[in-house]
Amino acid sequence: MSILTVETMPIEGQKPGTSGLRKKTRVFVGTHFVENFVQAILDAIGGAAGKTFVLGGDGRYFSPQVAQVILRMCAAQGAKKVIVGQDALLSTPAASHLIRLNKTDGGFIMSASHNPGGLDEDFGLKFNMPNGGPAPEGVTDAIFAATKTISSYRILEAQDIDLDTLGETRLGEMAVQVVDPVADYADLMETLFDFPKLRALFAGGFRMRFDAMCAITGPYGTEILERRLGAPEGTVVNGTPLPDFGGMHPDPNPTWAHDLMDVMFGDDAPDFGAASDGDGDRNMVVGKNTYVSPSDSLAVLAANAHLAPGYRGGIAGVARSMPTSAAVDLVADAMGIGKFETPTGWKFFGNLLDAGKVTLCGEESFGTGSDHVREKDGLWAVLLWLNVLAERGETVAEVLESHWKAFGRNYYSRHDYEGLPVDVADGIVDPLRARLGELPGTTVEGMEIAAADDFAYTDPVDGSVSQMQGLRIVFADGSRFVIRLSGTGTEGATLRLYLERYVAGPEDLGLDVQAALAPVIAAAETLAGIKAASGRDGPNVVT
Ligand code: G16
């Protein structure tokens, strides 16, 4: 087998976004596109020589081919070993766990997360660091810089290697170890949660529906919920990962997981419902006739984590992304633990977790996780909810109600305007940004503006600064809205409007969410003019 040095040229548009490089699959299949980006990663991390990596992904269309390219390039550049999930499958949290468990030098994750898969849909690739977490901005900037100067890449001339069979094989000088994608992750979950208690819960007739949306968590859900916890067969639906996710949009929110919502709000609904996304790091949890907003879910889990064995000693602190509601802050204040507000993107939690400043973190975008890995973790959140329900002996609705009674309720919603022309989206955000300085003290729709800024973050661990992370307008009564552009889309621009209003209670804890937020929605429209500028009647996704 010989090592080829292939001449290439920089390819436009290889700047990693909120979570790695995500593009239309047809862009990824272009000549040298994958190879250039992989070479840029290897260059940015100081080469592959002598290193061990993890490799896997959510199984979407084009993953098998990309896995072989990554293996050949790692082999050509002196890597010692790559640990690959069987059939190149690994959920994102499982990949994070394997990176940490095996003390590797990082890993490649092939996924565009919740975006649909297929030749005409989306593909993605990201690199995670030796701590198991997404590469921080310093590294993604270095990767992007390398994509702009690349002139060649090195790759082994070899046939595809078998990734179906468990065990160790060789590619040139490099070892390739094909592992069960589920086993180590499932073992980790057993150390965190009270599996005997959960087995007893299911044995007692507790009914659950877990919608894997034809994506990666199917095998994980089946192994953990049905095999290890004894939930009846059929608890996991859409449990076989498919390259195009069966045509589904594997994004666990009320819009895209509408089948689950219909069941949970229908007659004879199960006690608990949950869905996960393409790569298994997001989660949505639903009770009988009860939707749990991700921000509330984070707050409830922070307040109750001590009920699960893995967190019995308490939690050190919590972190949330800035657009996430402040519900978890109220829990942190009551518990006397640290709280942190970061920009959107799981990579910003890594330093806080590594430094032991926080144990739990989460985001409004259906992500929750803890220091057990360095990614958000969909099934972990589902299992923690199950553990809380089992310990408290309450329904999801009862848990939420008592939480709001104790802490008050942060009414919260996100309105997404997807697929806007980039100039239209900029035409909404830029003028508002320019006016931020003059807004405090003025009144809009009868509400006085107390503060307005473009969120900037200084990492408390390494001092790195991230600017322009979202426009936030805070009103005198504590309500607020935030506007930012998504960093994960692959077509046009997605504008996200985040809305929040706090009600201390005991009255008005059971309002309709959109009605409760109506004054904030009106103020946002008056200030930002989204409908007028976009020509849309309203958002196309509401969570
Ligand atoms: C990624 C990031 C999350 C972020 C989400 C949405 O999640 O890891 O931290 O909240 O995107 O980001 P944006 O608002 O920029 O689209 P995932 O599940 O897509 O990897």
Side-chain angles (χ1 to χ4, degrees), residues 18-19 22 113-114 277 279 281-282 344-346 363-365 376 484-488 496 498:
T18 307
S19 186
R22 292 187 193 165
S113 188
H114 54 288
D277 71 331
D279 62 332
D281 56 3
R282 296 186 178 202
T344 295
W346 205 263
E363 296 181 281
E364 50 64 40
S365 55
K376 54 189 183 279
R484 62 178 280 280
L485 298 178
S486 159
T488 55
R496 303 202 195 283
Y498 310 82

Side-chain angles (χ1 to χ4, degrees), residues 75-92:
Q77 302 186 36
K80 184 172 152 211
K81 182 176 182 176
V82 178
I83 300 167
V84 198
Q86 189 177 27
D87 293 323
L89 294 177
L90 280 178
S91 76
T92 291

Side-chain angles (χ1 to χ4, degrees), residues 114-328:
H114 54 288
N115 297 8
L119 180 57
D120 290 313
E121 298 294 351
D122 295 351
F123 190 81
L125 179 61
K126 70 171 176 173
F127 185 78
N128 278 28
M129 305 299 284
N131 74 346
E137 272 188 342
V139 176
T140 55
D141 287 350
I143 294 171
F144 182 45
T147 69
K148 292 196 283 190
T149 56
I150 188 168
S151 58
S152 65
Y153 60 82
R154 274 167 297 140
I155 188 162
L156 197 70
E157 193 177 36
Q159 297 295 327
D160 285 358
I161 70 162
D162 172 20
L163 297 179
D164 302 346
T165 311
L166 297 179
E168 193 158 312
T169 161
R170 295 199 87 75
L171 183 60
E173 299 294 303
M174 183 180 84
V176 178
Q177 188 188 353
V178 180
V179 299
D180 179 334
V182 177
D184 286 324
Y185 175 85
D187 291 348
L188 174 66
M189 293 300 114
E190 286 215 46
T191 68
L192 298 174
F193 303 112
D194 190 343
F195 272 39
K197 185 132 203 164
L198 298 186
R199 263 196 296 277
L201 183 74
F202 284 115
F206 183 89
R207 287 166 58 223
M208 172 176 178
R209 183 182 179 92
F210 179 76
D211 193 337
M213 303 189 86
C214 298
I216 191 68
T217 45
Y220 295 84
T222 305
E223 171 65 20
I224 295 171
L225 297 170
E226 297 187 3
R227 297 207 190 99
R228 298 201 186 189
L229 295 177
E233 217 173 284
T235 297
V236 177
V237 296
N238 297 315
T240 304
L242 299 173
D244 66 348
F245 307 121
M248 287 190 190
H249 189 148
D251 193 355
N253 63 39
T255 302
W256 295 115
H258 49 82
D259 286 352
L260 177 69
M261 293 299 281
D262 289 348
V263 171
M264 295 308 297
F265 281 77
D267 296 336
D268 195 31
D271 300 292
F272 187 58
S276 197
D277 71 331
D279 62 332
D281 56 3
R282 296 186 178 202
N283 75 92
M284 177 176 76
V285 294
V286 202
K288 222 179 248 196
N289 290 306
T290 310
Y291 167 67
V292 184
S293 92
S295 295
D296 278 348
S297 178
L298 173 63
V300 166
L301 294 181
N304 292 280
H306 62 277
L307 299 175
Y311 306 94
R312 225 153 244 162
I315 55 178
V318 292
R320 64 170 171 88
S321 65
M322 180 275 284
T324 303
S325 98
V328 74

Side-chain angles (χ1 to χ4, degrees), residues 516-542:
L517 291 168
V520 193
I521 296 171
E525 184 54 33
T526 302
L527 277 175
I530 302 173
K531 287 186 195 162
S534 66
R536 304 255 179 103
D537 292 339
N540 59 311
V541 175
V542 172

Side-chain angles (χ1 to χ4, degrees), residues 459-480:
D459 186 300
V461 178
D462 66 15
S464 59
V465 177
S466 303
Q467 310 271 9
M468 297 174 73
Q469 297 293 327
L471 312 185
R472 52 181 180 179
I473 316 287
V474 184
F475 297 97
D477 70 351
S479 307
R480 68 167 191 168

